Coordinates of all heavy atoms in Angstrom, one line a residue:
M278 N 55.5 -15.9 68.9 CA 56.2 -16.8 68.0 C 57.3 -16.0 67.2 O 57.0 -15.3 66.2 CB 55.2 -17.3 67.0 CG 55.7 -18.3 66.0 SD 54.5 -18.9 64.9 CE 53.7 -20.0 65.9
P279 N 58.5 -16.0 67.7 CA 59.5 -15.1 67.1 C 59.8 -15.4 65.7 O 60.1 -14.5 64.9 CB 60.8 -15.4 68.0 CG 60.3 -16.3 69.1 CD 58.9 -16.7 68.8
M280 N 59.8 -16.6 65.2 CA 60.1 -16.9 63.8 C 59.1 -16.3 62.9 O 59.4 -15.8 61.9 CB 60.2 -18.4 63.5 CG 61.6 -19.0 63.4 SD 62.8 -18.1 62.6 CE 64.1 -19.2 62.9
S281 N 57.8 -16.4 63.3 CA 56.8 -15.8 62.5 C 56.9 -14.2 62.4 O 56.7 -13.7 61.3 CB 55.4 -16.1 63.0 OG 55.1 -17.5 62.8
A282 N 57.3 -13.6 63.5 CA 57.5 -12.2 63.5 C 58.7 -11.9 62.6 O 58.7 -10.9 61.8 CB 57.8 -11.7 64.9
S283 N 59.7 -12.7 62.6 CA 60.9 -12.5 61.7 C 60.4 -12.7 60.3 O 60.9 -11.9 59.4 CB 62.0 -13.5 62.1 OG 63.0 -13.4 61.2
T284 N 59.6 -13.7 60.0 CA 59.1 -13.9 58.6 C 58.3 -12.7 58.2 O 58.5 -12.2 57.1 CB 58.3 -15.2 58.6 OG1 59.1 -16.3 58.9 CG2 57.7 -15.4 57.2
H285 N 57.5 -12.2 59.1 CA 56.7 -11.0 58.8 C 57.6 -9.8 58.4 O 57.3 -9.1 57.4 CB 55.8 -10.6 59.9 CG 55.0 -9.4 59.7 ND1 53.9 -9.2 59.0 CD2 55.3 -8.1 60.2 CE1 53.5 -8.0 59.0 NE2 54.4 -7.3 59.7
D286 N 58.6 -9.6 59.2 CA 59.5 -8.5 59.0 C 60.2 -8.6 57.6 O 60.4 -7.6 56.9 CB 60.6 -8.4 60.1 CG 59.9 -8.0 61.4 OD1 58.8 -7.5 61.4 OD2 60.6 -8.2 62.5
I287 N 60.6 -9.8 57.3 CA 61.3 -10.1 56.0 C 60.3 -9.8 54.9 O 60.7 -9.1 53.9 CB 61.8 -11.5 55.9 CG1 62.9 -11.7 56.9 CG2 62.1 -11.9 54.5 CD1 63.3 -13.2 57.1
L288 N 59.1 -10.2 55.0 CA 58.1 -10.0 53.9 C 57.8 -8.5 53.8 O 57.7 -8.0 52.6 CB 56.8 -10.8 54.2 CG 57.0 -12.3 54.2 CD1 55.7 -13.0 54.6 CD2 57.4 -12.8 52.8
V289 N 57.7 -7.8 54.8 CA 57.4 -6.3 54.8 C 58.6 -5.6 54.1 O 58.4 -4.8 53.2 CB 57.1 -5.7 56.2 CG1 57.1 -4.2 56.1 CG2 55.8 -6.3 56.7
R290 N 59.8 -6.0 54.4 CA 61.0 -5.4 53.8 C 61.0 -5.8 52.3 O 61.6 -5.0 51.5 CB 62.3 -5.9 54.4 CG 62.6 -5.2 55.7 CD 64.0 -5.5 56.2 NE 64.4 -6.9 56.3 CZ 64.2 -7.6 57.4 NH1 63.7 -7.1 58.5 NH2 64.6 -8.9 57.4
Q291 N 60.4 -6.9 51.9 CA 60.4 -7.2 50.4 C 59.2 -6.6 49.7 O 58.9 -6.9 48.5 CB 60.3 -8.7 50.3 CG 61.5 -9.5 50.8 CD 62.7 -9.1 49.9 OE1 62.7 -9.0 48.7 NE2 63.8 -8.9 50.6
G292 N 58.5 -5.7 50.4 CA 57.4 -4.9 49.8 C 56.0 -5.5 49.9 O 55.0 -5.0 49.3
Y293 N 55.9 -6.5 50.8 CA 54.5 -7.1 51.0 C 53.7 -6.3 52.0 O 54.3 -5.7 52.9 CB 54.7 -8.5 51.6 CG 55.1 -9.5 50.5 CD1 56.4 -9.9 50.3 CD2 54.1 -10.1 49.7 CE1 56.8 -10.8 49.3 CE2 54.5 -11.0 48.7 CZ 55.8 -11.3 48.5 OH 56.2 -12.2 47.6
K294 N 52.4 -6.3 51.8 CA 51.5 -5.6 52.7 C 50.6 -6.7 53.3 O 50.0 -7.5 52.5 CB 50.7 -4.6 52.0 CG 51.5 -3.4 51.5 CD 50.6 -2.5 50.7 CE 51.5 -2.0 49.5 NZ 51.0 -2.2 48.2
L295 N 50.4 -6.8 54.6 CA 49.5 -7.7 55.2 C 48.1 -7.3 54.9 O 47.7 -6.2 55.3 CB 49.8 -7.7 56.7 CG 49.0 -8.7 57.5 CD1 49.3 -10.2 57.1 CD2 49.3 -8.6 59.0
V296 N 47.3 -8.1 54.3 CA 45.9 -7.8 54.0 C 44.9 -8.6 54.8 O 43.8 -8.2 54.9 CB 45.6 -7.9 52.5 CG1 46.4 -6.9 51.7 CG2 45.9 -9.3 51.9
E297 N 45.4 -9.7 55.4 CA 44.5 -10.5 56.2 C 45.3 -11.3 57.2 O 46.3 -12.0 56.9 CB 43.7 -11.5 55.4 CG 42.7 -12.4 56.2 CD 41.9 -13.3 55.3 OE1 42.2 -13.4 54.1 OE2 41.1 -14.0 55.9
D298 N 45.0 -11.1 58.5 CA 45.7 -11.8 59.6 C 44.8 -12.6 60.4 O 44.0 -12.1 61.2 CB 46.5 -10.8 60.5 CG 47.4 -11.5 61.5 OD1 47.3 -12.7 61.6 OD2 48.1 -10.7 62.2
D299 N 44.7 -13.9 60.1 CA 43.9 -14.8 60.9 C 44.8 -15.9 61.5 O 44.4 -17.1 61.5 CB 42.8 -15.4 59.9 CG 41.6 -16.0 60.7 OD1 41.6 -15.7 61.9 OD2 40.8 -16.6 60.1
W300 N 46.0 -15.6 61.9 CA 46.9 -16.5 62.4 C 46.4 -17.3 63.7 O 46.6 -18.5 63.8 CB 48.3 -15.8 62.7 CG 49.4 -16.8 63.0 CD1 49.9 -17.2 64.2 CD2 50.1 -17.5 62.0 NE1 50.9 -18.1 64.0 CE2 51.1 -18.3 62.7 CE3 50.1 -17.5 60.6 CZ2 52.0 -19.1 62.0 CZ3 51.0 -18.3 60.0 CH2 51.9 -19.1 60.7
D301 N 45.8 -16.5 64.6 CA 45.4 -17.2 65.9 C 44.3 -18.2 65.7 O 44.3 -19.2 66.3 CB 45.0 -16.1 66.9 CG 46.2 -15.2 67.3 OD1 47.3 -15.8 67.3 OD2 46.0 -14.1 67.7
K302 N 43.3 -17.9 64.8 CA 42.2 -18.8 64.6 C 42.4 -19.8 63.5 O 42.0 -21.0 63.7 CB 40.9 -18.0 64.3 CG 40.5 -17.1 65.5 CD 39.2 -16.4 65.2 CE 38.8 -15.5 66.4 NZ 37.6 -14.8 66.1
Q303 N 42.9 -19.4 62.4 CA 43.0 -20.3 61.2 C 44.5 -20.6 60.8 O 44.7 -21.4 59.9 CB 42.3 -19.6 60.0 CG 40.9 -19.3 60.2 CD 40.1 -20.6 60.3 OE1 40.3 -21.6 59.6 NE2 39.1 -20.6 61.2
G304 N 45.4 -20.0 61.5 CA 46.8 -20.3 61.2 C 47.2 -19.8 59.8 O 47.9 -20.5 59.0
R305 N 46.8 -18.6 59.4 CA 47.0 -18.1 58.0 C 47.1 -16.6 58.0 O 46.3 -15.9 58.7 CB 45.8 -18.6 57.2 CG 45.9 -18.1 55.8 CD 44.6 -18.6 55.0 NE 44.6 -18.2 53.7 CZ 44.8 -19.0 52.7 NH1 45.0 -20.3 52.9 NH2 44.7 -18.5 51.4
R306 N 48.1 -16.1 57.3 CA 48.2 -14.7 57.0 C 48.3 -14.5 55.4 O 48.9 -15.4 54.8 CB 49.5 -14.1 57.6 CG 49.4 -14.0 59.1 CD 50.7 -13.3 59.6 NE 50.6 -13.2 61.0 CZ 51.5 -13.9 61.8 NH1 52.5 -14.6 61.3 NH2 51.3 -13.8 63.1
T307 N 47.7 -13.5 54.9 CA 47.7 -13.2 53.5 C 48.4 -11.9 53.3 O 48.0 -10.9 53.9 CB 46.3 -13.3 52.8 OG1 45.8 -14.6 53.0 CG2 46.4 -13.0 51.3
Y308 N 49.3 -11.8 52.3 CA 50.0 -10.6 52.0 C 49.8 -10.3 50.5 O 49.6 -11.2 49.7 CB 51.5 -10.8 52.2 CG 51.9 -10.9 53.6 CD1 51.9 -12.2 54.2 CD2 52.4 -9.9 54.4 CE1 52.3 -12.4 55.6 CE2 52.8 -10.1 55.7 CZ 52.7 -11.3 56.3 OH 53.1 -11.5 57.6
L309 N 49.9 -9.0 50.1 CA 49.9 -8.6 48.8 C 51.1 -7.9 48.4 O 51.7 -7.1 49.2 CB 48.6 -7.7 48.6 CG 48.4 -7.0 47.2 CD1 48.1 -8.1 46.2 CD2 47.3 -6.0 47.3
N310 N 51.6 -8.1 47.2 CA 52.8 -7.4 46.6 C 52.4 -7.0 45.2 O 51.9 -7.8 44.4 CB 54.0 -8.3 46.7 CG 55.3 -7.6 46.4 OD1 55.4 -6.9 45.3 ND2 56.2 -7.6 47.3
D311 N 52.8 -5.8 44.9 CA 52.4 -5.2 43.5 C 53.3 -5.7 42.4 O 53.1 -5.5 41.3 CB 52.4 -3.7 43.6 CG 51.3 -3.1 44.4 OD1 50.3 -3.8 44.6 OD2 51.5 -2.0 45.0
E312 N 54.4 -6.4 42.8 CA 55.4 -6.9 41.8 C 54.9 -8.2 41.2 O 54.2 -8.9 41.9 CB 56.8 -7.1 42.4 CG 57.4 -5.8 43.0 CD 57.8 -4.8 41.9 OE1 58.2 -5.3 40.8 OE2 57.7 -3.6 42.2
N313 N 55.3 -8.5 40.0 CA 55.1 -9.8 39.4 C 56.0 -10.8 40.1 O 57.2 -10.5 40.4 CB 55.3 -9.8 37.9 CG 54.3 -9.0 37.2 OD1 53.1 -9.0 37.6 ND2 54.6 -8.4 36.1
A314 N 55.5 -12.0 40.3 CA 56.3 -13.0 41.0 C 57.0 -13.8 39.9 O 56.8 -15.0 39.8 CB 55.3 -13.9 41.8
D315 N 57.9 -13.1 39.2 CA 58.7 -13.8 38.2 C 59.9 -14.5 38.9 O 60.1 -14.4 40.1 CB 59.1 -12.8 37.1 CG 60.0 -11.7 37.6 OD1 60.5 -11.7 38.8 OD2 60.1 -10.7 36.9
R316 N 60.7 -15.2 38.0 CA 61.8 -16.0 38.5 C 62.8 -15.1 39.3 O 63.3 -15.5 40.4 CB 62.5 -16.6 37.4 CG 63.7 -17.5 37.8 CD 64.3 -18.1 36.5 NE 63.4 -18.9 35.8 CZ 63.4 -20.2 35.6 NH1 64.4 -20.9 36.1 NH2 62.5 -20.8 34.9
A317 N 63.1 -13.9 38.8 CA 64.1 -13.0 39.5 C 63.5 -12.6 40.9 O 64.2 -12.6 41.9 CB 64.4 -11.8 38.7
F318 N 62.2 -12.2 40.9 CA 61.6 -11.8 42.2 C 61.7 -13.0 43.2 O 62.0 -12.8 44.4 CB 60.2 -11.3 42.0 CG 59.5 -10.9 43.2 CD1 59.6 -9.5 43.6 CD2 58.8 -11.7 44.0 CE1 59.0 -9.1 44.8 CE2 58.2 -11.3 45.2 CZ 58.3 -10.0 45.6
L319 N 61.3 -14.2 42.8 CA 61.3 -15.3 43.6 C 62.7 -15.7 44.1 O 62.8 -16.1 45.3 CB 60.6 -16.5 43.0 CG 59.1 -16.4 42.7 CD1 58.6 -17.5 41.9 CD2 58.4 -16.2 44.0
G320 N 63.7 -15.4 43.3 CA 65.1 -15.7 43.7 C 65.5 -14.8 44.9 O 66.1 -15.2 45.9
V321 N 65.1 -13.5 44.8 CA 65.4 -12.5 45.9 C 64.6 -12.9 47.1 O 65.2 -12.9 48.2 CB 65.1 -11.1 45.4 CG1 65.2 -10.1 46.6 CG2 66.0 -10.7 44.3
L322 N 63.4 -13.3 47.0 CA 62.6 -13.7 48.1 C 63.1 -14.9 48.8 O 63.2 -15.0 50.0 CB 61.1 -13.9 47.6 CG 60.1 -14.4 48.7 CD1 60.0 -13.3 49.8 CD2 58.8 -14.6 48.1
E323 N 63.6 -15.9 48.0 CA 64.2 -17.1 48.5 C 65.4 -16.8 49.4 O 65.5 -17.3 50.5 CB 64.5 -18.1 47.4 CG 65.2 -19.3 47.9 CD 65.7 -20.2 46.8 OE1 65.6 -19.9 45.6 OE2 66.3 -21.3 47.1
R324 N 66.3 -16.0 48.9 CA 67.5 -15.6 49.6 C 67.1 -14.9 50.9 O 67.7 -15.1 51.9 CB 68.4 -14.8 48.7 CG 69.1 -15.6 47.7 CD 70.2 -14.8 46.9 NE 69.6 -13.7 46.1 CZ 69.1 -13.9 44.9 NH1 69.0 -15.1 44.3 NH2 68.6 -12.9 44.2
S325 N 66.1 -14.1 50.9 CA 65.7 -13.3 52.1 C 65.1 -14.2 53.1 O 65.4 -14.1 54.3 CB 64.7 -12.2 51.7 OG 65.3 -11.3 50.8
L326 N 64.3 -15.2 52.7 CA 63.6 -16.1 53.6 C 64.5 -17.1 54.2 O 64.3 -17.6 55.3 CB 62.4 -16.8 52.9 CG 61.2 -15.9 52.6 CD1 60.2 -16.7 51.7 CD2 60.5 -15.5 53.9
R327 N 65.6 -17.4 53.5 CA 66.6 -18.4 54.0 C 67.1 -18.1 55.4 O 67.3 -19.0 56.2 CB 67.7 -18.5 53.0 CG 68.5 -19.8 53.2 CD 69.6 -19.9 52.1 NE 69.0 -20.0 50.8 CZ 69.6 -19.4 49.7 NH1 70.7 -18.7 49.8 NH2 69.0 -19.5 48.5
S328 N 67.2 -16.8 55.7 CA 67.7 -16.4 57.0 C 66.8 -16.7 58.1 O 67.2 -16.8 59.3 CB 68.0 -14.9 57.0 OG 66.8 -14.1 56.9
A329 N 65.5 -17.0 57.8 CA 64.6 -17.4 58.8 C 64.3 -18.9 58.8 O 63.3 -19.3 59.3 CB 63.3 -16.6 58.7
G330 N 65.1 -19.6 58.1 CA 64.9 -21.1 58.0 C 64.0 -21.6 56.9 O 63.7 -22.8 57.0
W331 N 63.7 -20.8 56.0 CA 62.8 -21.3 54.9 C 63.6 -21.9 53.7 O 64.7 -21.4 53.5 CB 62.0 -20.1 54.4 CG 61.0 -19.6 55.3 CD1 61.1 -18.6 56.2 CD2 59.6 -20.0 55.5 NE1 60.0 -18.4 56.9 CE2 59.0 -19.2 56.5 CE3 58.9 -21.0 54.8 CZ2 57.7 -19.4 56.9 CZ3 57.6 -21.2 55.2 CH2 57.0 -20.4 56.2
T332 N 63.0 -22.8 53.1 CA 63.6 -23.4 51.9 C 62.6 -23.6 50.8 O 61.4 -23.6 51.1 CB 64.3 -24.8 52.1 OG1 63.3 -25.7 52.6 CG2 65.4 -24.7 53.1
L333 N 63.0 -23.7 49.6 CA 62.0 -24.0 48.5 C 61.4 -25.3 48.7 O 62.1 -26.3 49.1 CB 62.7 -24.0 47.1 CG 62.9 -22.6 46.5 CD1 63.7 -22.8 45.2 CD2 61.6 -21.9 46.2
D334 N 60.1 -25.4 48.4 CA 59.4 -26.7 48.5 C 59.7 -27.3 47.1 O 59.2 -26.9 46.1 CB 57.9 -26.5 48.7 CG 57.2 -27.8 48.9 OD1 57.6 -28.8 48.4 OD2 56.1 -27.8 49.5
R335 N 60.4 -28.4 47.1 CA 60.8 -29.1 45.8 C 59.6 -29.8 45.2 O 59.7 -30.1 44.0 CB 61.9 -30.0 46.0 CG 63.2 -29.4 46.6 CD 63.8 -28.5 45.5 NE 65.0 -27.8 46.1 CZ 65.5 -26.8 45.6 NH1 65.1 -26.3 44.5 NH2 66.6 -26.2 46.1
A336 N 58.5 -30.0 45.9 CA 57.4 -30.8 45.4 C 56.3 -29.8 44.9 O 55.4 -30.3 44.2 CB 56.8 -31.7 46.5
K337 N 56.4 -28.6 45.2 CA 55.3 -27.6 44.9 C 55.8 -26.3 44.3 O 56.7 -25.7 44.9 CB 54.5 -27.3 46.2 CG 53.1 -27.4 46.1 CD 52.5 -27.3 47.5 CE 51.0 -26.9 47.3 NZ 50.4 -26.6 48.6
L338 N 55.3 -26.0 43.2 CA 55.8 -24.8 42.5 C 55.4 -23.5 43.3 O 54.3 -23.4 43.9 CB 55.1 -24.7 41.1 CG 55.5 -23.6 40.2 CD1 57.0 -23.7 39.8 CD2 54.7 -23.6 38.9
R339 N 56.3 -22.5 43.4 CA 56.1 -21.3 44.0 C 55.7 -21.4 45.5 O 54.8 -20.7 46.0 CB 55.0 -20.4 43.3 CG 55.3 -20.0 41.9 CD 54.2 -19.3 41.2 NE 54.5 -19.0 39.9 CZ 54.7 -17.7 39.5 NH1 54.5 -16.7 40.3 NH2 55.0 -17.5 38.2
S340 N 56.4 -22.3 46.2 CA 56.1 -22.6 47.6 C 57.4 -22.7 48.4 O 58.4 -23.1 47.8 CB 55.3 -23.9 47.7 OG 54.0 -23.7 47.1
F341 N 57.3 -22.4 49.6 CA 58.5 -22.5 50.6 C 58.0 -23.3 51.8 O 56.8 -23.2 52.1 CB 58.9 -21.1 51.0 CG 59.4 -20.2 49.9 CD1 58.5 -19.4 49.2 CD2 60.7 -20.2 49.5 CE1 58.9 -18.6 48.1 CE2 61.2 -19.4 48.4 CZ 60.3 -18.6 47.8
V342 N 58.9 -23.9 52.5 CA 58.6 -24.6 53.7 C 59.6 -24.3 54.8 O 60.7 -23.9 54.5 CB 58.6 -26.2 53.5 CG1 57.5 -26.6 52.5 CG2 59.9 -26.7 53.0
R343 N 59.1 -24.4 56.0 CA 60.0 -24.2 57.2 C 59.6 -25.3 58.1 O 58.8 -25.2 59.0 CB 59.8 -22.8 57.8 CG 60.9 -22.5 58.8 CD 60.9 -21.1 59.2 NE 59.8 -20.7 60.0 CZ 59.8 -20.9 61.3 NH1 60.8 -21.5 62.0 NH2 58.7 -20.6 62.1
P344 N 60.1 -26.5 57.9 CA 59.7 -27.7 58.6 C 59.8 -27.6 60.1 O 58.9 -28.1 60.8 CB 60.6 -28.8 58.0 CG 61.1 -28.3 56.8 CD 61.2 -26.8 56.9
E345 N 60.9 -27.1 60.6 CA 61.0 -27.0 62.1 C 60.0 -26.1 62.7 O 59.7 -26.2 63.8 CB 62.4 -26.6 62.5 CG 62.9 -25.3 61.9 CD 63.4 -25.3 60.5 OE1 63.6 -26.4 59.9 OE2 63.6 -24.2 59.9
G346 N 59.4 -25.2 61.9 CA 58.3 -24.3 62.4 C 56.9 -24.8 62.0 O 55.9 -24.3 62.5
G347 N 56.9 -25.8 61.2 CA 55.6 -26.4 60.7 C 54.8 -25.3 59.9 O 53.6 -25.2 60.1
E348 N 55.5 -24.6 59.0 CA 54.8 -23.6 58.3 C 55.1 -23.7 56.8 O 56.1 -24.3 56.4 CB 55.3 -22.2 58.7 CG 55.1 -21.9 60.2 CD 55.8 -20.7 60.7 OE1 55.7 -19.6 60.1 OE2 56.6 -20.8 61.7
V349 N 54.2 -23.1 56.0 CA 54.4 -23.1 54.5 C 54.1 -21.7 54.0 O 53.3 -21.0 54.6 CB 53.5 -24.2 53.8 CG1 53.9 -25.6 54.2 CG2 52.1 -23.9 54.0
I350 N 54.7 -21.4 52.9 CA 54.4 -20.1 52.2 C 54.0 -20.6 50.7 O 54.8 -21.3 50.1 CB 55.5 -19.2 52.2 CG1 55.7 -18.5 53.5 CG2 55.4 -18.1 51.1 CD1 56.9 -17.6 53.7
E351 N 52.9 -20.0 50.2 CA 52.5 -20.3 48.9 C 52.3 -18.9 48.2 O 51.7 -18.0 48.7 CB 51.2 -21.1 48.8 CG 51.4 -22.5 49.3 CD 50.1 -23.3 49.3 OE1 49.0 -22.7 49.0 OE2 50.2 -24.5 49.6
I352 N 52.8 -18.8 46.9 CA 52.7 -17.6 46.1 C 51.5 -17.9 45.1 O 51.5 -18.9 44.5 CB 54.0 -17.4 45.3 CG1 55.2 -17.3 46.2 CG2 53.8 -16.1 44.5 CD1 55.2 -16.1 47.2
E353 N 50.6 -16.9 45.1 CA 49.4 -17.0 44.2 C 49.4 -15.8 43.2 O 49.3 -14.7 43.7 CB 48.2 -17.1 45.0 CG 46.9 -17.0 44.2 CD 45.7 -16.8 45.0 OE1 45.7 -16.9 46.3 OE2 44.6 -16.7 44.4
P354 N 49.5 -16.1 41.9 CA 49.5 -15.0 41.0 C 48.2 -14.2 41.2 O 47.1 -14.8 41.5 CB 49.5 -15.6 39.6 CG 50.1 -17.0 39.9 CD 49.7 -17.4 41.2
G355 N 48.2 -12.9 40.9 CA 47.0 -12.0 41.2 C 45.9 -12.2 40.2 O 44.8 -11.8 40.4
G356 N 46.1 -12.7 39.0 CA 45.1 -12.9 38.0 C 45.1 -11.8 36.9 O 45.9 -10.9 37.0
A357 N 44.3 -12.0 36.0 CA 44.3 -11.1 34.8 C 44.1 -9.7 35.1 O 44.7 -8.8 34.4 CB 43.3 -11.7 33.8
E358 N 43.2 -9.4 36.0 CA 42.8 -8.0 36.2 C 43.5 -7.4 37.5 O 43.1 -6.4 38.0 CB 41.3 -7.9 36.3 CG 40.6 -8.2 35.0 CD 39.2 -7.9 35.0 OE1 38.7 -7.1 35.8 OE2 38.5 -8.5 34.2
T359 N 44.5 -8.1 38.0 CA 45.2 -7.7 39.2 C 46.7 -7.7 38.9 O 47.2 -8.6 38.4 CB 45.0 -8.7 40.4 OG1 43.6 -8.8 40.5 CG2 45.6 -8.2 41.6
S360 N 47.3 -6.6 39.3 CA 48.8 -6.6 39.1 C 49.4 -7.2 40.4 O 48.7 -7.1 41.5 CB 49.3 -5.1 38.9 OG 49.0 -4.3 40.1
G361 N 50.5 -7.8 40.3 CA 51.1 -8.3 41.5 C 50.7 -9.7 41.8 O 50.2 -10.5 41.0
H362 N 50.9 -10.1 43.1 CA 50.5 -11.4 43.6 C 50.2 -11.5 45.0 O 50.5 -10.5 45.8 CB 51.7 -12.4 43.2 CG 53.0 -12.0 44.0 ND1 53.8 -11.0 43.6 CD2 53.5 -12.5 45.2 CE1 54.8 -11.0 44.5 NE2 54.6 -11.9 45.4
F363 N 49.7 -12.6 45.5 CA 49.4 -12.8 46.9 C 50.4 -13.8 47.4 O 50.9 -14.7 46.7 CB 48.0 -13.4 47.1 CG 46.9 -12.4 46.7 CD1 46.3 -12.5 45.4 CD2 46.5 -11.5 47.6 CE1 45.3 -11.6 45.1 CE2 45.5 -10.6 47.2 CZ 44.9 -10.7 46.0
L364 N 50.7 -13.7 48.7 CA 51.5 -14.7 49.4 C 50.7 -15.1 50.6 O 50.2 -14.3 51.4 CB 52.8 -14.0 49.9 CG 53.8 -14.9 50.6 CD1 55.2 -14.5 50.3 CD2 53.6 -14.8 52.1
H365 N 50.6 -16.5 50.8 CA 49.9 -17.0 51.9 C 50.9 -17.7 52.8 O 51.6 -18.6 52.4 CB 48.8 -18.0 51.4 CG 47.9 -17.5 50.4 ND1 46.9 -16.6 50.8 CD2 47.8 -17.7 49.1 CE1 46.2 -16.3 49.7 NE2 46.7 -16.9 48.7
H366 N 51.0 -17.2 54.1 CA 51.8 -17.8 55.1 C 50.9 -18.6 56.0 O 50.0 -18.0 56.6 CB 52.5 -16.7 55.8 CG 53.4 -17.1 57.0 ND1 53.7 -16.3 58.0 CD2 53.9 -18.3 57.3 CE1 54.5 -17.0 58.9 NE2 54.6 -18.2 58.5
M367 N 51.1 -19.9 56.1 CA 50.2 -20.8 56.8 C 50.9 -21.8 57.7 O 52.1 -22.2 57.4 CB 49.4 -21.6 55.8 CG 48.6 -20.7 54.8 SD 47.9 -21.6 53.5 CE 49.4 -22.0 52.5
K368 N 50.2 -22.2 58.7 CA 50.7 -23.3 59.5 C 50.4 -24.6 58.7 O 49.4 -24.7 58.0 CB 49.9 -23.4 60.8 CG 50.2 -22.3 61.8 CD 49.3 -22.4 63.0 CE 49.6 -21.2 63.9 NZ 48.7 -21.2 65.1
A369 N 51.4 -25.5 58.6 CA 51.3 -26.7 57.8 C 50.2 -27.6 58.4 O 50.1 -27.7 59.6 CB 52.6 -27.4 57.7
L370 N 49.5 -28.3 57.6 CA 48.5 -29.2 58.0 C 49.2 -30.5 58.3 O 50.2 -30.9 57.7 CB 47.5 -29.5 56.9 CG 46.7 -28.3 56.5 CD1 45.8 -28.6 55.3 CD2 45.8 -27.7 57.7
D371 N 48.8 -31.2 59.3 CA 49.4 -32.5 59.7 C 49.0 -33.6 58.8 O 48.0 -33.7 58.2 CB 49.0 -32.9 61.2 CG 49.6 -31.9 62.2 OD1 50.6 -31.3 61.9 OD2 49.0 -31.8 63.2

C-alpha cells in the first residue's frame, strides 16, 4: 500500500515513533510524539500530510481524512502524566 508507506514516512519525519502496528489484522497503527499537539504543531502536520492526499476532517476535532484511501488519522492528547500525544492511523469504517 504505497500511500500508507508514504504516510508513515511523513509521520516519522515529523518526529513520530511507531508504537503499535496492527494494520494487517485491525487496520490500525499507533504513533507517539513527545511534542504537544498544539495549533502550531497541527498546522505543520497538516501541511506535511497534504502531500499524501490528507485533509482536515471538518466534522471532527484533531482529525484528518484521506477519502480516496479510506483512511483516517486521529490525534489523542497524552494525558496529565504523559508528555506529548498519540496519533492513530486507521482504515475508515464503512
Side-chain angles (χ1 to χ4, degrees):
M278 180 179 287
M280 260 320 180
S281 290
S283 177
T284 296
H285 173 79
D286 293 343
I287 290 168
L288 294 175
V289 169
R290 283 194 304 269
Q291 293 298 316
Y293 285 94
K294 294 174 217 123
L295 183 64
V296 294
E297 183 180 2
D298 186 353
D299 199 10
W300 192 260
D301 293 332
K302 292 182 181 177
Q303 299 294 322
R305 179 183 179 106
R306 290 185 183 114
T307 300
Y308 295 83
L309 176 65
N310 190 304
D311 292 333
E312 299 292 324
N313 287 328
D315 60 14
R316 185 180 300 246
F318 182 89
L319 291 174
V321 171
L322 181 60
E323 177 187 4
R324 287 187 293 279
S325 297
L326 288 171
R327 196 176 301 141
S328 67
W331 292 91
T332 60
L333 276 176
D334 185 336
R335 300 291 178 198
K337 228 172 162 186
L338 187 62
R339 296 176 181 247
S340 296
F341 301 87
V342 294
R343 196 167 70 82
E345 58 279 348
E348 300 170 54
V349 296
I350 286 177
E351 295 178 353
I352 306 293
E353 175 189 353
E358 298 188 21
T359 305
S360 64
H362 65 278
F363 295 96
L364 180 147
H365 306 287
H366 176 201
M367 302 168 286
K368 294 178 183 175
L370 299 175
D371 293 334

